[in-house]
Amino acid sequence: MDESNDPFVVRVIQQAKIEAVGASDELYFAVSGVSLKGDGRNFYGVFQIRADSKPGGGLVEVSSPYRYESDVAVTPEKVRFEALSERTWGWVLKVQNGTRPTAEQVMVSNVMLAPHGDEIALLARFKASVDAEPADCAQANAEHENWRKAVEAMGAQEHTSEQELHEAETMDDTEPLRCERSRWAYRTADVIGPLPGPLTVSVKGSQYGATMEEKSWKLMFDSKAFAYNVPDELAVE
């Protein structure tokens, strides 16, 4: 059951057993669920099972089973489990939103999760790919420019009635689709210490009918927040 008590069929899509030095075995696994209501809703979760550090304790479950819904279920090939530091193992899951690039932007996000104490920490969420395929890129750019000008003109007006406010809000939600095929690749740092090293992220592809300038970023790990600093250019809205 999810947080709304809707039923899902769930299966394990990744599992790994870690032999921790001087400690008991640890089991890590990820799950993916599909709604039994047939409404296209999906969710995923990650789990760590370890020995309780308290005297006489048994096993402890550290999990986050209800993170993000998506339009497409997470499948085994969309999960990577890797060492991030001498003490931290984590998952990178590719989560997709959107299914029809000719009618909507299809975005895949990298979601990096790892156990941290008695909870699962969200270390980073950043772009993996974006696809949009309107029929004519030049026409799509022209329609987007007309939309942008209309939004600016609407924003410059004073909206006194509820209808005018509704029209302004509706216009913000009707941004025309433009051509895009972008791919972001990431690389983790070598494991050489107790904390995760930086992530290196690079992008290539085409955007709005033109080839993108290849670019790379180095995402540094914030030990206090226990998360990577993700720049706005890579952030997922």
Side-chain angles (χ1 to χ4, degrees), residues 8-39:
F8 284 73
V9 174
V10 176
R11 65 174 178 142
V12 175
I13 57 174
Q14 168 276 331
Q15 60 181 337
K17 190 175 183 181
I18 305 300
E19 303 285 347
V21 177
S24 61
D25 296 342
E26 297 177 351
L27 177 65
Y28 296 78
F29 62 95
V31 304
S32 180
V34 179
S35 173
L36 282 177
K37 288 188 173 182
D39 55 7

PDB file of all heavy atoms in Angstrom, residues 8-39:
ATOM      1  N   PHE A   8      -0.323  -1.639  -4.628  1.00  0.00           N
ATOM      2  CA  PHE A   8       0.673  -1.768  -5.686  1.00  0.00           C
ATOM      3  C   PHE A   8       1.237  -3.186  -5.678  1.00  0.00           C
ATOM      4  O   PHE A   8       1.333  -3.830  -4.634  1.00  0.00           O
ATOM      5  CB  PHE A   8       1.840  -0.797  -5.467  1.00  0.00           C
ATOM      6  CG  PHE A   8       1.547   0.628  -5.810  1.00  0.00           C
ATOM      7  CD1 PHE A   8       0.731   1.402  -4.998  1.00  0.00           C
ATOM      8  CD2 PHE A   8       2.095   1.214  -6.938  1.00  0.00           C
ATOM      9  CE1 PHE A   8       0.462   2.724  -5.307  1.00  0.00           C
ATOM     10  CE2 PHE A   8       1.835   2.532  -7.253  1.00  0.00           C
ATOM     11  CZ  PHE A   8       1.012   3.283  -6.443  1.00  0.00           C
ATOM     12  N   VAL A   9       1.602  -3.677  -6.862  1.00  0.00           N
ATOM     13  CA  VAL A   9       2.395  -4.895  -6.972  1.00  0.00           C
ATOM     14  C   VAL A   9       3.866  -4.472  -7.002  1.00  0.00           C
ATOM     15  O   VAL A   9       4.261  -3.648  -7.824  1.00  0.00           O
ATOM     16  CB  VAL A   9       2.045  -5.677  -8.255  1.00  0.00           C
ATOM     17  CG1 VAL A   9       3.000  -6.858  -8.420  1.00  0.00           C
ATOM     18  CG2 VAL A   9       0.615  -6.175  -8.208  1.00  0.00           C
ATOM     19  N   VAL A  10       4.652  -5.042  -6.090  1.00  0.00           N
ATOM     20  CA  VAL A  10       6.040  -4.603  -5.922  1.00  0.00           C
ATOM     21  C   VAL A  10       6.988  -5.776  -6.147  1.00  0.00           C
ATOM     22  O   VAL A  10       6.704  -6.897  -5.741  1.00  0.00           O
ATOM     23  CB  VAL A  10       6.241  -4.019  -4.499  1.00  0.00           C
ATOM     24  CG1 VAL A  10       7.699  -3.644  -4.272  1.00  0.00           C
ATOM     25  CG2 VAL A  10       5.347  -2.815  -4.294  1.00  0.00           C
ATOM     26  N   ARG A  11       8.120  -5.498  -6.795  1.00  0.00           N
ATOM     27  CA  ARG A  11       9.139  -6.536  -6.955  1.00  0.00           C
ATOM     28  C   ARG A  11      10.511  -5.933  -6.683  1.00  0.00           C
ATOM     29  O   ARG A  11      10.730  -4.725  -6.849  1.00  0.00           O
ATOM     30  CB  ARG A  11       9.103  -7.135  -8.363  1.00  0.00           C
ATOM     31  CG  ARG A  11       9.467  -6.165  -9.470  1.00  0.00           C
ATOM     32  CD  ARG A  11       9.543  -6.880 -10.820  1.00  0.00           C
ATOM     33  NE  ARG A  11       9.855  -5.956 -11.898  1.00  0.00           N
ATOM     34  CZ  ARG A  11      10.655  -6.249 -12.916  1.00  0.00           C
ATOM     35  NH1 ARG A  11      11.246  -7.424 -12.971  1.00  0.00           N
ATOM     36  NH2 ARG A  11      10.870  -5.384 -13.883  1.00  0.00           N
ATOM     37  N   VAL A  12      11.430  -6.791  -6.266  1.00  0.00           N
ATOM     38  CA  VAL A  12      12.818  -6.378  -6.053  1.00  0.00           C
ATOM     39  C   VAL A  12      13.500  -6.270  -7.415  1.00  0.00           C
ATOM     40  O   VAL A  12      13.436  -7.201  -8.225  1.00  0.00           O
ATOM     41  CB  VAL A  12      13.559  -7.381  -5.152  1.00  0.00           C
ATOM     42  CG1 VAL A  12      15.037  -7.012  -5.048  1.00  0.00           C
ATOM     43  CG2 VAL A  12      12.919  -7.417  -3.770  1.00  0.00           C
ATOM     44  N   ILE A  13      14.147  -5.133  -7.682  1.00  0.00           N
ATOM     45  CA  ILE A  13      14.806  -4.941  -8.977  1.00  0.00           C
ATOM     46  C   ILE A  13      16.327  -4.853  -8.842  1.00  0.00           C
ATOM     47  O   ILE A  13      17.035  -4.786  -9.835  1.00  0.00           O
ATOM     48  CB  ILE A  13      14.276  -3.675  -9.689  1.00  0.00           C
ATOM     49  CG1 ILE A  13      14.447  -2.424  -8.820  1.00  0.00           C
ATOM     50  CG2 ILE A  13      12.820  -3.865 -10.092  1.00  0.00           C
ATOM     51  CD1 ILE A  13      14.084  -1.133  -9.523  1.00  0.00           C
ATOM     52  N   GLN A  14      16.831  -4.831  -7.612  1.00  0.00           N
ATOM     53  CA  GLN A  14      18.285  -4.834  -7.375  1.00  0.00           C
ATOM     54  C   GLN A  14      18.522  -5.303  -5.960  1.00  0.00           C
ATOM     55  O   GLN A  14      17.755  -4.988  -5.044  1.00  0.00           O
ATOM     56  CB  GLN A  14      18.864  -3.425  -7.572  1.00  0.00           C
ATOM     57  CG  GLN A  14      20.298  -3.238  -7.084  1.00  0.00           C
ATOM     58  CD  GLN A  14      20.410  -2.936  -5.595  1.00  0.00           C
ATOM     59  OE1 GLN A  14      19.491  -2.356  -5.016  1.00  0.00           O
ATOM     60  NE2 GLN A  14      21.508  -3.304  -4.981  1.00  0.00           N
ATOM     61  N   GLN A  15      19.587  -6.090  -5.756  1.00  0.00           N
ATOM     62  CA  GLN A  15      19.981  -6.439  -4.397  1.00  0.00           C
ATOM     63  C   GLN A  15      21.474  -6.724  -4.359  1.00  0.00           C
ATOM     64  O   GLN A  15      22.052  -7.188  -5.340  1.00  0.00           O
ATOM     65  CB  GLN A  15      19.189  -7.639  -3.878  1.00  0.00           C
ATOM     66  CG  GLN A  15      19.341  -8.912  -4.661  1.00  0.00           C
ATOM     67  CD  GLN A  15      18.487 -10.036  -4.067  1.00  0.00           C
ATOM     68  OE1 GLN A  15      18.131 -10.001  -2.901  1.00  0.00           O
ATOM     69  NE2 GLN A  15      18.164 -11.034  -4.875  1.00  0.00           N
ATOM     70  N   ALA A  16      22.080  -6.424  -3.222  1.00  0.00           N
ATOM     71  CA  ALA A  16      23.510  -6.643  -3.045  1.00  0.00           C
ATOM     72  C   ALA A  16      23.789  -6.886  -1.570  1.00  0.00           C
ATOM     73  O   ALA A  16      23.150  -6.291  -0.700  1.00  0.00           O
ATOM     74  CB  ALA A  16      24.311  -5.440  -3.540  1.00  0.00           C
ATOM     75  N   LYS A  17      24.724  -7.756  -1.303  1.00  0.00           N
ATOM     76  CA  LYS A  17      25.131  -8.060   0.063  1.00  0.00           C
ATOM     77  C   LYS A  17      26.542  -7.530   0.270  1.00  0.00           C
ATOM     78  O   LYS A  17      27.447  -7.848  -0.499  1.00  0.00           O
ATOM     79  CB  LYS A  17      25.088  -9.573   0.303  1.00  0.00           C
ATOM     80  CG  LYS A  17      25.260  -9.973   1.750  1.00  0.00           C
ATOM     81  CD  LYS A  17      25.071 -11.488   1.902  1.00  0.00           C
ATOM     82  CE  LYS A  17      25.162 -11.903   3.358  1.00  0.00           C
ATOM     83  NZ  LYS A  17      24.993 -13.373   3.515  1.00  0.00           N
ATOM     84  N   ILE A  18      26.716  -6.712   1.294  1.00  0.00           N
ATOM     85  CA  ILE A  18      27.995  -6.076   1.567  1.00  0.00           C
ATOM     86  C   ILE A  18      28.623  -6.725   2.791  1.00  0.00           C
ATOM     87  O   ILE A  18      28.005  -6.803   3.849  1.00  0.00           O
ATOM     88  CB  ILE A  18      27.836  -4.569   1.814  1.00  0.00           C
ATOM     89  CG1 ILE A  18      27.107  -3.918   0.632  1.00  0.00           C
ATOM     90  CG2 ILE A  18      29.185  -3.910   2.052  1.00  0.00           C
ATOM     91  CD1 ILE A  18      27.798  -4.063  -0.690  1.00  0.00           C
ATOM     92  N   GLU A  19      29.847  -7.184   2.641  1.00  0.00           N
ATOM     93  CA  GLU A  19      30.581  -7.742   3.769  1.00  0.00           C
ATOM     94  C   GLU A  19      31.348  -6.607   4.429  1.00  0.00           C
ATOM     95  O   GLU A  19      32.436  -6.245   4.003  1.00  0.00           O
ATOM     96  CB  GLU A  19      31.555  -8.831   3.275  1.00  0.00           C
ATOM     97  CG  GLU A  19      30.888  -9.956   2.522  1.00  0.00           C
ATOM     98  CD  GLU A  19      30.139 -10.914   3.439  1.00  0.00           C
ATOM     99  OE1 GLU A  19      30.355 -10.832   4.665  1.00  0.00           O
ATOM    100  OE2 GLU A  19      29.346 -11.719   2.928  1.00  0.00           O
ATOM    101  N   ALA A  20      30.766  -6.023   5.476  1.00  0.00           N
ATOM    102  CA  ALA A  20      31.399  -4.900   6.159  1.00  0.00           C
ATOM    103  C   ALA A  20      32.499  -5.409   7.079  1.00  0.00           C
ATOM    104  O   ALA A  20      32.313  -6.374   7.818  1.00  0.00           O
ATOM    105  CB  ALA A  20      30.366  -4.124   6.967  1.00  0.00           C
ATOM    106  N   VAL A  21      33.654  -4.758   7.054  1.00  0.00           N
ATOM    107  CA  VAL A  21      34.790  -5.169   7.882  1.00  0.00           C
ATOM    108  C   VAL A  21      34.456  -4.930   9.349  1.00  0.00           C
ATOM    109  O   VAL A  21      34.080  -3.832   9.748  1.00  0.00           O
ATOM    110  CB  VAL A  21      36.056  -4.383   7.490  1.00  0.00           C
ATOM    111  CG1 VAL A  21      37.209  -4.769   8.412  1.00  0.00           C
ATOM    112  CG2 VAL A  21      36.408  -4.646   6.034  1.00  0.00           C
ATOM    113  N   GLY A  22      34.587  -5.969  10.151  1.00  0.00           N
ATOM    114  CA  GLY A  22      34.352  -5.829  11.580  1.00  0.00           C
ATOM    115  C   GLY A  22      32.896  -5.661  11.952  1.00  0.00           C
ATOM    116  O   GLY A  22      32.578  -5.259  13.073  1.00  0.00           O
ATOM    117  N   ALA A  23      31.988  -5.949  11.042  1.00  0.00           N
ATOM    118  CA  ALA A  23      30.563  -5.777  11.336  1.00  0.00           C
ATOM    119  C   ALA A  23      29.792  -6.935  10.705  1.00  0.00           C
ATOM    120  O   ALA A  23      30.336  -7.765   9.990  1.00  0.00           O
ATOM    121  CB  ALA A  23      30.060  -4.444  10.808  1.00  0.00           C
ATOM    122  N   SER A  24      28.496  -6.977  10.971  1.00  0.00           N
ATOM    123  CA  SER A  24      27.668  -8.020  10.391  1.00  0.00           C
ATOM    124  C   SER A  24      27.384  -7.711   8.922  1.00  0.00           C
ATOM    125  O   SER A  24      27.627  -6.612   8.444  1.00  0.00           O
ATOM    126  CB  SER A  24      26.355  -8.123  11.166  1.00  0.00           C
ATOM    127  OG  SER A  24      25.650  -6.896  11.089  1.00  0.00           O
ATOM    128  N   ASP A  25      26.856  -8.721   8.241  1.00  0.00           N
ATOM    129  CA  ASP A  25      26.514  -8.518   6.833  1.00  0.00           C
ATOM    130  C   ASP A  25      25.431  -7.456   6.693  1.00  0.00           C
ATOM    131  O   ASP A  25      24.579  -7.302   7.552  1.00  0.00           O
ATOM    132  CB  ASP A  25      26.003  -9.825   6.228  1.00  0.00           C
ATOM    133  CG  ASP A  25      27.078 -10.899   6.208  1.00  0.00           C
ATOM    134  OD1 ASP A  25      28.258 -10.533   6.336  1.00  0.00           O
ATOM    135  OD2 ASP A  25      26.728 -12.078   6.073  1.00  0.00           O
ATOM    136  N   GLU A  26      25.466  -6.754   5.571  1.00  0.00           N
ATOM    137  CA  GLU A  26      24.447  -5.756   5.261  1.00  0.00           C
ATOM    138  C   GLU A  26      23.833  -6.087   3.913  1.00  0.00           C
ATOM    139  O   GLU A  26      24.535  -6.458   2.977  1.00  0.00           O
ATOM    140  CB  GLU A  26      25.053  -4.349   5.233  1.00  0.00           C
ATOM    141  CG  GLU A  26      25.629  -3.911   6.570  1.00  0.00           C
ATOM    142  CD  GLU A  26      26.279  -2.538   6.493  1.00  0.00           C
ATOM    143  OE1 GLU A  26      26.421  -2.014   5.369  1.00  0.00           O
ATOM    144  OE2 GLU A  26      26.640  -1.997   7.548  1.00  0.00           O
ATOM    145  N   LEU A  27      22.519  -5.950   3.819  1.00  0.00           N
ATOM    146  CA  LEU A  27      21.807  -6.222   2.575  1.00  0.00           C
ATOM    147  C   LEU A  27      21.178  -4.935   2.067  1.00  0.00           C
ATOM    148  O   LEU A  27      20.531  -4.216   2.830  1.00  0.00           O
ATOM    149  CB  LEU A  27      20.719  -7.276   2.793  1.00  0.00           C
ATOM    150  CG  LEU A  27      19.845  -7.618   1.575  1.00  0.00           C
ATOM    151  CD1 LEU A  27      20.676  -8.278   0.481  1.00  0.00           C
ATOM    152  CD2 LEU A  27      18.692  -8.529   1.978  1.00  0.00           C
ATOM    153  N   TYR A  28      21.395  -4.646   0.796  1.00  0.00           N
ATOM    154  CA  TYR A  28      20.833  -3.461   0.161  1.00  0.00           C
ATOM    155  C   TYR A  28      19.944  -3.920  -0.984  1.00  0.00           C
ATOM    156  O   TYR A  28      20.331  -4.796  -1.767  1.00  0.00           O
ATOM    157  CB  TYR A  28      21.938  -2.570  -0.407  1.00  0.00           C
ATOM    158  CG  TYR A  28      22.893  -1.977   0.607  1.00  0.00           C
ATOM    159  CD1 TYR A  28      23.914  -2.743   1.164  1.00  0.00           C
ATOM    160  CD2 TYR A  28      22.797  -0.643   0.989  1.00  0.00           C
ATOM    161  CE1 TYR A  28      24.813  -2.199   2.071  1.00  0.00           C
ATOM    162  CE2 TYR A  28      23.685  -0.086   1.893  1.00  0.00           C
ATOM    163  CZ  TYR A  28      24.689  -0.869   2.432  1.00  0.00           C
ATOM    164  OH  TYR A  28      25.572  -0.327   3.327  1.00  0.00           O
ATOM    165  N   PHE A  29      18.773  -3.319  -1.131  1.00  0.00           N
ATOM    166  CA  PHE A  29      17.960  -3.648  -2.293  1.00  0.00           C
ATOM    167  C   PHE A  29      17.018  -2.502  -2.656  1.00  0.00           C
ATOM    168  O   PHE A  29      16.701  -1.644  -1.836  1.00  0.00           O
ATOM    169  CB  PHE A  29      17.185  -4.955  -2.107  1.00  0.00           C
ATOM    170  CG  PHE A  29      16.186  -4.977  -0.980  1.00  0.00           C
ATOM    171  CD1 PHE A  29      14.849  -4.688  -1.209  1.00  0.00           C
ATOM    172  CD2 PHE A  29      16.580  -5.303   0.310  1.00  0.00           C
ATOM    173  CE1 PHE A  29      13.919  -4.723  -0.172  1.00  0.00           C
ATOM    174  CE2 PHE A  29      15.652  -5.347   1.349  1.00  0.00           C
ATOM    175  CZ  PHE A  29      14.330  -5.059   1.107  1.00  0.00           C
ATOM    176  N   ALA A  30      16.619  -2.486  -3.925  1.00  0.00           N
ATOM    177  CA  ALA A  30      15.684  -1.485  -4.439  1.00  0.00           C
ATOM    178  C   ALA A  30      14.450  -2.203  -4.959  1.00  0.00           C
ATOM    179  O   ALA A  30      14.531  -3.346  -5.429  1.00  0.00           O
ATOM    180  CB  ALA A  30      16.317  -0.664  -5.569  1.00  0.00           C
ATOM    181  N   VAL A  31      13.293  -1.548  -4.857  1.00  0.00           N
ATOM    182  CA  VAL A  31      12.039  -2.133  -5.326  1.00  0.00           C
ATOM    183  C   VAL A  31      11.343  -1.162  -6.263  1.00  0.00           C
ATOM    184  O   VAL A  31      11.588   0.043  -6.234  1.00  0.00           O
ATOM    185  CB  VAL A  31      11.096  -2.492  -4.156  1.00  0.00           C
ATOM    186  CG1 VAL A  31      11.783  -3.416  -3.165  1.00  0.00           C
ATOM    187  CG2 VAL A  31      10.588  -1.237  -3.446  1.00  0.00           C
ATOM    188  N   SER A  32      10.463  -1.716  -7.079  1.00  0.00           N
ATOM    189  CA  SER A  32       9.655  -0.913  -7.990  1.00  0.00           C
ATOM    190  C   SER A  32       8.225  -1.416  -7.918  1.00  0.00           C
ATOM    191  O   SER A  32       7.990  -2.625  -7.842  1.00  0.00           O
ATOM    192  CB  SER A  32      10.180  -1.028  -9.424  1.00  0.00           C
ATOM    193  OG  SER A  32       9.406  -0.267 -10.323  1.00  0.00           O
ATOM    194  N   GLY A  33       7.261  -0.495  -7.920  1.00  0.00           N
ATOM    195  CA  GLY A  33       5.863  -0.876  -7.788  1.00  0.00           C
ATOM    196  C   GLY A  33       4.988  -0.312  -8.888  1.00  0.00           C
ATOM    197  O   GLY A  33       5.239   0.782  -9.390  1.00  0.00           O
ATOM    198  N   VAL A  34       3.955  -1.072  -9.241  1.00  0.00           N
ATOM    199  CA  VAL A  34       2.980  -0.662 -10.249  1.00  0.00           C
ATOM    200  C   VAL A  34       1.596  -0.687  -9.611  1.00  0.00           C
ATOM    201  O   VAL A  34       1.223  -1.650  -8.942  1.00  0.00           O
ATOM    202  CB  VAL A  34       3.007  -1.605 -11.471  1.00  0.00           C
ATOM    203  CG1 VAL A  34       1.980  -1.178 -12.503  1.00  0.00           C
ATOM    204  CG2 VAL A  34       4.389  -1.630 -12.089  1.00  0.00           C
ATOM    205  N   SER A  35       0.821   0.372  -9.830  1.00  0.00           N
ATOM    206  CA  SER A  35      -0.500   0.478  -9.215  1.00  0.00           C
ATOM    207  C   SER A  35      -1.444  -0.593  -9.740  1.00  0.00           C
ATOM    208  O   SER A  35      -1.516  -0.852 -10.940  1.00  0.00           O
ATOM    209  CB  SER A  35      -1.099   1.859  -9.489  1.00  0.00           C
ATOM    210  OG  SER A  35      -2.436   1.922  -9.046  1.00  0.00           O
ATOM    211  N   LEU A  36      -2.188  -1.208  -8.815  1.00  0.00           N
ATOM    212  CA  LEU A  36      -3.194  -2.193  -9.210  1.00  0.00           C
ATOM    213  C   LEU A  36      -4.445  -1.533  -9.776  1.00  0.00           C
ATOM    214  O   LEU A  36      -5.298  -2.206 -10.343  1.00  0.00           O
ATOM    215  CB  LEU A  36      -3.576  -3.059  -8.006  1.00  0.00           C
ATOM    216  CG  LEU A  36      -2.581  -4.162  -7.628  1.00  0.00           C
ATOM    217  CD1 LEU A  36      -3.054  -4.895  -6.382  1.00  0.00           C
ATOM    218  CD2 LEU A  36      -2.417  -5.145  -8.771  1.00  0.00           C
ATOM    219  N   LYS A  37      -4.552  -0.230  -9.607  1.00  0.00           N
ATOM    220  CA  LYS A  37      -5.708   0.481 -10.145  1.00  0.00           C
ATOM    221  C   LYS A  37      -5.602   0.707 -11.650  1.00  0.00           C
ATOM    222  O   LYS A  37      -6.566   1.132 -12.278  1.00  0.00           O
ATOM    223  CB  LYS A  37      -5.878   1.828  -9.434  1.00  0.00           C
ATOM    224  CG  LYS A  37      -6.383   1.709  -7.997  1.00  0.00           C
ATOM    225  CD  LYS A  37      -6.709   3.076  -7.434  1.00  0.00           C
ATOM    226  CE  LYS A  37      -7.373   2.990  -6.068  1.00  0.00           C
ATOM    227  NZ  LYS A  37      -7.733   4.329  -5.537  1.00  0.00           N
ATOM    228  N   GLY A  38      -4.439   0.465 -12.201  1.00  0.00           N
ATOM    229  CA  GLY A  38      -4.255   0.656 -13.636  1.00  0.00           C
ATOM    230  C   GLY A  38      -4.278   2.105 -14.058  1.00  0.00           C
ATOM    231  O   GLY A  38      -4.600   2.419 -15.209  1.00  0.00           O
ATOM    232  N   ASP A  39      -3.907   3.019 -13.138  1.00  0.00           N
ATOM    233  CA  ASP A  39      -3.937   4.440 -13.459  1.00  0.00           C
ATOM    234  C   ASP A  39      -2.573   4.979 -13.877  1.00  0.00           C
ATOM    235  O   ASP A  39      -2.382   6.182 -14.014  1.00  0.00           O
ATOM    236  CB  ASP A  39      -4.461   5.245 -12.260  1.00  0.00           C
ATOM    237  CG  ASP A  39      -3.671   4.981 -10.981  1.00  0.00           C
ATOM    238  OD1 ASP A  39      -2.636   4.283 -11.054  1.00  0.00           O
ATOM    239  OD2 ASP A  39      -4.084   5.474  -9.914  1.00  0.00           O
TER     240      ASP A  39
END
